[in-house]
Each structure stands twice: as C-alpha cells, then as structure tokens.
Amino acid sequence: MDDVIIVGAGIGGLTLGLALHACGIPCRIFESTAEIRAVGVGINLLPHAAKELAALGLEPALAKVAIATTDATFFNRFGQLIYQEPLGLAAGYEHPQFSIHRGDLQMVLLEAFLARAGSDRLVTNSHCIAVEQDESGVSVVFSDGPNGTARRTVRGGVAIACDGINSALRKQFFPGEGDPRYSGVNMWRGVTRWKPILSGASMVRAGWLSHGKMVIYPIRPQGADGLQLINWVAEIETPAYRKRDWNRPGAIADFIGAFADWHFDWLDVPAFIRAADQVLEFPMVDQEPLPRWSFGRVTLLGDAAHPMVPRGSNGAGQAILDARALVAALLEHDDPVAALAAYEKQRLEATTRIVLTNRSNPPDAILREVFQRTNDRPFGRIDDVISREELVAMSEGYKRIAGYSKEALRTR
Ligand SMILES: Cc1cc2nc3c(=O)[nH]c(=O)nc-3n(C[C@H](O)[C@H](O)[C@H](O)COP(=O)(O)OP(=O)(O)OC[C@H]3O[C@@H](n4cnc5c(N)ncnc54)[C@H](O)[C@@H]3O)c2cc1C
C-alpha cells in the first residue's frame, strides 16, 4: 500500500506510526509544529492503554520516566477519606497504570518511532490544511506551520487525522459543527515539586466541582532531593470560559480561594498550589459525538475523533486504542476504504459511550454522591453515608464502559 499519511505527532499519531511500522505498513507523520517539545502536564495511561504500549515494547522506557500508580483515593473537602481502591498492578492487572508527564510520554513514543522507522518518516513544520481524494489515494495539503504561506501537497494511500482537539480535518468534514460544549467547569492545571503524598503513587481526588475539586498525582519518580513532580488539577464550576488552548497560562489568585482552608494531615493544599512550577488554565469542554469519522480514504483518530472531558483519565488511552484498532483493520482488509469503515464501526460507538459517561458518571461521581448525601458537611462514619459495595459498583461501572475492566483485558 502507498504510505499512510498521519496528520499530527501527538500521542495518537506517534502510537499509530509505531503500530503501523511494527506490521510493515509504511507511513509518514506530518506535524504542524517546527519542533516537538515536551509540552503539557500530567496524563494517565490506564492498564488497557499500557497493554498496547507494552505490546510495542515500550513498557521499560515508560517505567523509567513514569509512576506506576498504586491507588485511587477519594476525600471530601474536609479531608475525610471516602474510598480507596488499588490500581494497575496493585489491583491485579497484568500492566501498570502509568501516571506520566505528557511530554515524557510523547518523547518515549517519538524516540522509538525515529529509531525504528527512521527520521525521514517524520516531517515537522507541516500544518495540514485540507485533504482531497480519488480512487487511488489521498492528496493532503500542508502549509509550513500554522501561519505559514508556503503550500505543498503530499500523496498517500490513506490519511489519518490525529491532529487533536482543534483538528483541521474534522473541520473540513464537519464545517458547521460550532463551538465546543462547555461543561460549566474551568480547570487550572499545574505541576509542583513536593515530597511524596500518601503512598507516593496515589491518585487523589478531593472535594466537589461546585466549590472546588482537586485531582493530584505524581508523574515523575522521586529525585535526589527526595521530591517528586506532582501534577494537580483544580476544577471549579465557573460560568464563563475562554477558548481552549493547551498552553494558556493561569493565575493562582483566580482559584486559590476555593482551597484556602484545605490544610490536611496528608497535604497542605494551598502551600502545595503556591509552590507550583507552572500553572495553566483550560476549560473543561468536549464536542458532541460525531455520526461518522471515515470518509472514503480519510478518517479521524484520538481527540480529533472524540474529544472528551478529562474526568476519566481516558483521552490518551482511547487514542492508543484507536491506533490499535485501525492497524488491525488495515491488516484485515485489502481495500483501505473498507478498512477505515471497519475501524469506525469498531471504535465510534465505544468512544461515544465514554464521551457521554465522562459528562455524567465518571469516576469522580463518587465525590458527587457523598457531597449530595451529606449536604456538604463532614460525616461521622462513611459507612453511614454510602456502603463500600455502592462505591465499588460505581467505580467498576466506569471501568466496564471505558473498556478496562479486568475481564475485558483478559479476553482482549
Ligand atoms: C500542547 C499540548 C499539551 C497537552 N497537554 C495535556 C495535558 O497536560 N494533559 C492532558 O491530559 N492532555 C494534554 N494534551 C492532550 C492529550 O495529548 C490528548 O488529549 C490525548 O493524548 C489524545 O492524543 P491525540 O494524539 O489525539 O492529540 P494530541 O496529543 O493533542 O496531538 C495532536 C497533535 O497534532 C498536531 N497538530 C494539530 N493541528 C495540526 C495540523 N493542522 N496539522 C498537523 N499537525 C497538527 C499537534 O501539534 C499535536 O502534536 C495536550 C495536547 C497538546 C497538543
């Protein structure tokens, strides 16, 4: 087959490139930016995604730079423990849950791709503008960077849009889609160098969105100074929002008030926030699920296909699962049009369910439930508020929908 043209060298695009290369399908990746830099803050790879990256031989490289997360721990805003459950290897999965700096993950994927496929297979400064197709292939039009004026056209067998939440190709196929859907929650994301919190590999969720929720987890192993790089996200219901931009700086003064009295024995939250290296602001938005992704020889993958609110640690993982499904479909079908249709059939409905569940009942619904049942007051005994069985059922329900229950992974 002619080259698969991959648009975007993010998490989905690089994973797709690696998976295609592993199967002997030639590809080239075209990335908008001039240089791929380790940007972003924390990201999670749940065991279903870790399994796919392990199959590509990347588990040792990830283990070196990431944290193998051991537990999910939920508190109310008074610092009282609501629920704790093991994660990843500690929960009996065959592969870890990795909490990792997005830049570190991208660099692991990038280095592997360059080493295996060759540096000529990745072309930077190539901002996709549009795609055309005929019976024998695709012609993808690029400019030299997002504001570049020089144009060139690249020919390939199929084109896969892995160009993220502001996908140019999604816009080409759905020009009237309109603005993202704002969830009513604004996020401030940051990283702080701090001594290990709880187990040193805990994923903490605390509080509730109406007056302030925090998600906190370490993303790099402890350094010689005894500190870890710890990712945090403050999430607060906020009426207005500014356009999404992964790199928009945020101001601590805009949200610290919500956490002013969060001085717990497991963490002094205001001091932790104030010690941040970097703070970014991002609205919690998604898009309505699309009716289709594949148009002949072109399809969408990852955030370009199914942007979701980040409440289930699933954005990167679903992009990785898309990549695996797409490669399997290309191997199975000689006709690329049939392959892209089969990929869509396998992944569109599954990811639509996750997009919708992330709006209504993601893992942090546990916090909402306790918030409502206690009228936002401290409790005496958690068992008098909600039973352990109910909490487990809420957590397991999400895992089934997102495709990482232990049974699902064993049979895949
Ligand atoms: C700069 C940046 C920072 C991020 N930070 C975080 C974070 O801190 N935490 C988190 O959970 N998620 C973050 N994400 C999003 C996260 O990577 C995705 O949600 C998820 O991993 C799915 O990956 P993806 O490959 O679909 O999209 P992405 O990983 O977003 O990759 C999209 C890629 O396409 C490139 N691109 C965009 N438009 C074009 C175009 N027209 N032509 C060619 N290339 C194009 C982008 O530069 C990027 O490399 C970030 C994304 C970006 C781009």
PDB file of all heavy atoms in Angstrom, residues 324-344:
ATOM      1  N   ARG A 324      -4.583   0.990  17.666  1.00  0.00           N
ATOM      2  CA  ARG A 324      -4.519  -0.474  17.557  1.00  0.00           C
ATOM      3  C   ARG A 324      -5.635  -0.992  16.648  1.00  0.00           C
ATOM      4  O   ARG A 324      -5.409  -1.846  15.784  1.00  0.00           O
ATOM      5  CB  ARG A 324      -4.655  -1.080  18.941  1.00  0.00           C
ATOM      6  CG  ARG A 324      -4.821  -2.568  18.957  1.00  0.00           C
ATOM      7  CD  ARG A 324      -5.210  -3.020  20.362  1.00  0.00           C
ATOM      8  NE  ARG A 324      -5.266  -4.453  20.471  1.00  0.00           N
ATOM      9  CZ  ARG A 324      -6.364  -5.165  20.243  1.00  0.00           C
ATOM     10  NH1 ARG A 324      -7.467  -4.564  19.849  1.00  0.00           N
ATOM     11  NH2 ARG A 324      -6.339  -6.467  20.387  1.00  0.00           N
ATOM     12  N   ALA A 325      -6.850  -0.475  16.830  1.00  0.00           N
ATOM     13  CA  ALA A 325      -7.992  -0.953  16.046  1.00  0.00           C
ATOM     14  C   ALA A 325      -7.807  -0.612  14.568  1.00  0.00           C
ATOM     15  O   ALA A 325      -8.138  -1.415  13.685  1.00  0.00           O
ATOM     16  CB  ALA A 325      -9.275  -0.326  16.571  1.00  0.00           C
ATOM     17  N   LEU A 326      -7.251   0.558  14.305  1.00  0.00           N
ATOM     18  CA  LEU A 326      -7.072   0.974  12.911  1.00  0.00           C
ATOM     19  C   LEU A 326      -6.042   0.083  12.209  1.00  0.00           C
ATOM     20  O   LEU A 326      -6.246  -0.348  11.068  1.00  0.00           O
ATOM     21  CB  LEU A 326      -6.649   2.443  12.871  1.00  0.00           C
ATOM     22  CG  LEU A 326      -6.401   3.038  11.492  1.00  0.00           C
ATOM     23  CD1 LEU A 326      -7.601   2.858  10.573  1.00  0.00           C
ATOM     24  CD2 LEU A 326      -6.065   4.516  11.607  1.00  0.00           C
ATOM     25  N   VAL A 327      -4.959  -0.216  12.890  1.00  0.00           N
ATOM     26  CA  VAL A 327      -3.929  -1.071  12.274  1.00  0.00           C
ATOM     27  C   VAL A 327      -4.512  -2.460  12.022  1.00  0.00           C
ATOM     28  O   VAL A 327      -4.312  -3.051  10.941  1.00  0.00           O
ATOM     29  CB  VAL A 327      -2.671  -1.138  13.167  1.00  0.00           C
ATOM     30  CG1 VAL A 327      -1.666  -2.118  12.600  1.00  0.00           C
ATOM     31  CG2 VAL A 327      -2.045   0.247  13.273  1.00  0.00           C
ATOM     32  N   ALA A 328      -5.273  -2.990  12.978  1.00  0.00           N
ATOM     33  CA  ALA A 328      -5.881  -4.311  12.794  1.00  0.00           C
ATOM     34  C   ALA A 328      -6.801  -4.294  11.570  1.00  0.00           C
ATOM     35  O   ALA A 328      -6.806  -5.235  10.764  1.00  0.00           O
ATOM     36  CB  ALA A 328      -6.650  -4.712  14.052  1.00  0.00           C
ATOM     37  N   ALA A 329      -7.566  -3.219  11.409  1.00  0.00           N
ATOM     38  CA  ALA A 329      -8.498  -3.143  10.272  1.00  0.00           C
ATOM     39  C   ALA A 329      -7.735  -3.052   8.950  1.00  0.00           C
ATOM     40  O   ALA A 329      -8.114  -3.669   7.952  1.00  0.00           O
ATOM     41  CB  ALA A 329      -9.419  -1.934  10.443  1.00  0.00           C
ATOM     42  N   LEU A 330      -6.627  -2.305   8.937  1.00  0.00           N
ATOM     43  CA  LEU A 330      -5.837  -2.193   7.696  1.00  0.00           C
ATOM     44  C   LEU A 330      -5.202  -3.531   7.328  1.00  0.00           C
ATOM     45  O   LEU A 330      -5.042  -3.857   6.152  1.00  0.00           O
ATOM     46  CB  LEU A 330      -4.756  -1.113   7.845  1.00  0.00           C
ATOM     47  CG  LEU A 330      -5.253   0.334   7.810  1.00  0.00           C
ATOM     48  CD1 LEU A 330      -4.177   1.306   8.289  1.00  0.00           C
ATOM     49  CD2 LEU A 330      -5.726   0.719   6.396  1.00  0.00           C
ATOM     50  N   LEU A 331      -4.851  -4.318   8.339  1.00  0.00           N
ATOM     51  CA  LEU A 331      -4.271  -5.631   8.064  1.00  0.00           C
ATOM     52  C   LEU A 331      -5.334  -6.598   7.551  1.00  0.00           C
ATOM     53  O   LEU A 331      -5.074  -7.459   6.714  1.00  0.00           O
ATOM     54  CB  LEU A 331      -3.643  -6.209   9.336  1.00  0.00           C
ATOM     55  CG  LEU A 331      -2.322  -5.583   9.788  1.00  0.00           C
ATOM     56  CD1 LEU A 331      -1.925  -6.111  11.161  1.00  0.00           C
ATOM     57  CD2 LEU A 331      -1.206  -5.854   8.772  1.00  0.00           C
ATOM     58  N   GLU A 332      -6.537  -6.420   8.050  1.00  0.00           N
ATOM     59  CA  GLU A 332      -7.594  -7.381   7.736  1.00  0.00           C
ATOM     60  C   GLU A 332      -8.206  -7.143   6.350  1.00  0.00           C
ATOM     61  O   GLU A 332      -8.630  -8.064   5.692  1.00  0.00           O
ATOM     62  CB  GLU A 332      -8.687  -7.261   8.808  1.00  0.00           C
ATOM     63  CG  GLU A 332      -9.641  -8.441   8.795  1.00  0.00           C
ATOM     64  CD  GLU A 332     -10.661  -8.311   9.911  1.00  0.00           C
ATOM     65  OE1 GLU A 332     -10.284  -7.805  10.995  1.00  0.00           O
ATOM     66  OE2 GLU A 332     -11.822  -8.661   9.695  1.00  0.00           O
ATOM     67  N   HIS A 333      -8.271  -5.876   5.923  1.00  0.00           N
ATOM     68  CA  HIS A 333      -8.979  -5.542   4.671  1.00  0.00           C
ATOM     69  C   HIS A 333      -7.987  -5.069   3.618  1.00  0.00           C
ATOM     70  O   HIS A 333      -7.224  -4.144   3.864  1.00  0.00           O
ATOM     71  CB  HIS A 333      -9.991  -4.430   4.912  1.00  0.00           C
ATOM     72  CG  HIS A 333     -11.057  -4.805   5.894  1.00  0.00           C
ATOM     73  ND1 HIS A 333     -12.254  -5.375   5.529  1.00  0.00           N
ATOM     74  CD2 HIS A 333     -11.102  -4.699   7.242  1.00  0.00           C
ATOM     75  CE1 HIS A 333     -12.986  -5.603   6.603  1.00  0.00           C
ATOM     76  NE2 HIS A 333     -12.313  -5.195   7.657  1.00  0.00           N
ATOM     77  N   ASP A 334      -8.058  -5.672   2.423  1.00  0.00           N
ATOM     78  CA  ASP A 334      -7.203  -5.200   1.337  1.00  0.00           C
ATOM     79  C   ASP A 334      -7.639  -3.820   0.862  1.00  0.00           C
ATOM     80  O   ASP A 334      -6.820  -2.997   0.470  1.00  0.00           O
ATOM     81  CB  ASP A 334      -7.273  -6.171   0.151  1.00  0.00           C
ATOM     82  CG  ASP A 334      -6.546  -7.464   0.494  1.00  0.00           C
ATOM     83  OD1 ASP A 334      -5.660  -7.406   1.380  1.00  0.00           O
ATOM     84  OD2 ASP A 334      -6.893  -8.509  -0.076  1.00  0.00           O
ATOM     85  N   ASP A 335      -8.937  -3.606   0.900  1.00  0.00           N
ATOM     86  CA  ASP A 335      -9.476  -2.322   0.429  1.00  0.00           C
ATOM     87  C   ASP A 335      -9.408  -1.301   1.572  1.00  0.00           C
ATOM     88  O   ASP A 335     -10.057  -1.467   2.607  1.00  0.00           O
ATOM     89  CB  ASP A 335     -10.927  -2.541  -0.009  1.00  0.00           C
ATOM     90  CG  ASP A 335     -11.627  -1.234  -0.323  1.00  0.00           C
ATOM     91  OD1 ASP A 335     -10.927  -0.208  -0.488  1.00  0.00           O
ATOM     92  OD2 ASP A 335     -12.875  -1.232  -0.378  1.00  0.00           O
ATOM     93  N   PRO A 336      -8.614  -0.230   1.401  1.00  0.00           N
ATOM     94  CA  PRO A 336      -8.466   0.732   2.505  1.00  0.00           C
ATOM     95  C   PRO A 336      -9.778   1.398   2.907  1.00  0.00           C
ATOM     96  O   PRO A 336      -9.983   1.718   4.078  1.00  0.00           O
ATOM     97  CB  PRO A 336      -7.477   1.772   1.963  1.00  0.00           C
ATOM     98  CG  PRO A 336      -7.304   1.497   0.531  1.00  0.00           C
ATOM     99  CD  PRO A 336      -7.781   0.111   0.244  1.00  0.00           C
ATOM    100  N   VAL A 337     -10.676   1.580   1.944  1.00  0.00           N
ATOM    101  CA  VAL A 337     -11.963   2.214   2.281  1.00  0.00           C
ATOM    102  C   VAL A 337     -12.740   1.297   3.239  1.00  0.00           C
ATOM    103  O   VAL A 337     -13.314   1.754   4.240  1.00  0.00           O
ATOM    104  CB  VAL A 337     -12.772   2.509   0.992  1.00  0.00           C
ATOM    105  CG1 VAL A 337     -14.155   3.049   1.340  1.00  0.00           C
ATOM    106  CG2 VAL A 337     -12.007   3.496   0.106  1.00  0.00           C
ATOM    107  N   ALA A 338     -12.709   0.004   2.941  1.00  0.00           N
ATOM    108  CA  ALA A 338     -13.394  -0.959   3.827  1.00  0.00           C
ATOM    109  C   ALA A 338     -12.705  -0.989   5.195  1.00  0.00           C
ATOM    110  O   ALA A 338     -13.363  -1.101   6.237  1.00  0.00           O
ATOM    111  CB  ALA A 338     -13.377  -2.346   3.193  1.00  0.00           C
ATOM    112  N   ALA A 339     -11.384  -0.857   5.209  1.00  0.00           N
ATOM    113  CA  ALA A 339     -10.641  -0.892   6.481  1.00  0.00           C
ATOM    114  C   ALA A 339     -11.041   0.294   7.361  1.00  0.00           C
ATOM    115  O   ALA A 339     -11.305   0.139   8.555  1.00  0.00           O
ATOM    116  CB  ALA A 339      -9.139  -0.860   6.205  1.00  0.00           C
ATOM    117  N   LEU A 340     -11.117   1.486   6.759  1.00  0.00           N
ATOM    118  CA  LEU A 340     -11.456   2.660   7.575  1.00  0.00           C
ATOM    119  C   LEU A 340     -12.906   2.591   8.062  1.00  0.00           C
ATOM    120  O   LEU A 340     -13.219   3.039   9.173  1.00  0.00           O
ATOM    121  CB  LEU A 340     -11.209   3.954   6.797  1.00  0.00           C
ATOM    122  CG  LEU A 340      -9.773   4.218   6.315  1.00  0.00           C
ATOM    123  CD1 LEU A 340      -9.574   5.705   6.020  1.00  0.00           C
ATOM    124  CD2 LEU A 340      -8.703   3.737   7.275  1.00  0.00           C
ATOM    125  N   ALA A 341     -13.761   2.002   7.250  1.00  0.00           N
ATOM    126  CA  ALA A 341     -15.158   1.838   7.689  1.00  0.00           C
ATOM    127  C   ALA A 341     -15.219   0.833   8.850  1.00  0.00           C
ATOM    128  O   ALA A 341     -15.954   1.043   9.820  1.00  0.00           O
ATOM    129  CB  ALA A 341     -16.015   1.359   6.522  1.00  0.00           C
ATOM    130  N   ALA A 342     -14.433  -0.239   8.760  1.00  0.00           N
ATOM    131  CA  ALA A 342     -14.443  -1.252   9.832  1.00  0.00           C
ATOM    132  C   ALA A 342     -13.889  -0.668  11.131  1.00  0.00           C
ATOM    133  O   ALA A 342     -14.399  -0.938  12.222  1.00  0.00           O
ATOM    134  CB  ALA A 342     -13.614  -2.467   9.402  1.00  0.00           C
ATOM    135  N   TYR A 343     -12.849   0.140  11.003  1.00  0.00           N
ATOM    136  CA  TYR A 343     -12.277   0.817  12.189  1.00  0.00           C
ATOM    137  C   TYR A 343     -13.338   1.682  12.856  1.00  0.00           C
ATOM    138  O   TYR A 343     -13.546   1.627  14.070  1.00  0.00           O
ATOM    139  CB  TYR A 343     -11.067   1.643  11.730  1.00  0.00           C
ATOM    140  CG  TYR A 343     -10.750   2.841  12.590  1.00  0.00           C
ATOM    141  CD1 TYR A 343     -10.194   2.692  13.857  1.00  0.00           C
ATOM    142  CD2 TYR A 343     -10.989   4.146  12.125  1.00  0.00           C
ATOM    143  CE1 TYR A 343      -9.901   3.817  14.652  1.00  0.00           C
ATOM    144  CE2 TYR A 343     -10.703   5.254  12.887  1.00  0.00           C
ATOM    145  CZ  TYR A 343     -10.168   5.081  14.155  1.00  0.00           C
ATOM    146  OH  TYR A 343      -9.880   6.185  14.929  1.00  0.00           O
ATOM    147  N   GLU A 344     -14.030   2.465  12.048  1.00  0.00           N
ATOM    148  CA  GLU A 344     -15.075   3.333  12.612  1.00  0.00           C
ATOM    149  C   GLU A 344     -16.149   2.495  13.316  1.00  0.00           C
ATOM    150  O   GLU A 344     -16.594   2.832  14.410  1.00  0.00           O
ATOM    151  CB  GLU A 344     -15.705   4.162  11.493  1.00  0.00           C
ATOM    152  CG  GLU A 344     -16.885   4.975  11.987  1.00  0.00           C
ATOM    153  CD  GLU A 344     -17.646   5.646  10.847  1.00  0.00           C
ATOM    154  OE1 GLU A 344     -17.043   6.451  10.123  1.00  0.00           O
ATOM    155  OE2 GLU A 344     -18.852   5.352  10.686  1.00  0.00           O
TER     156      GLU A 344
END
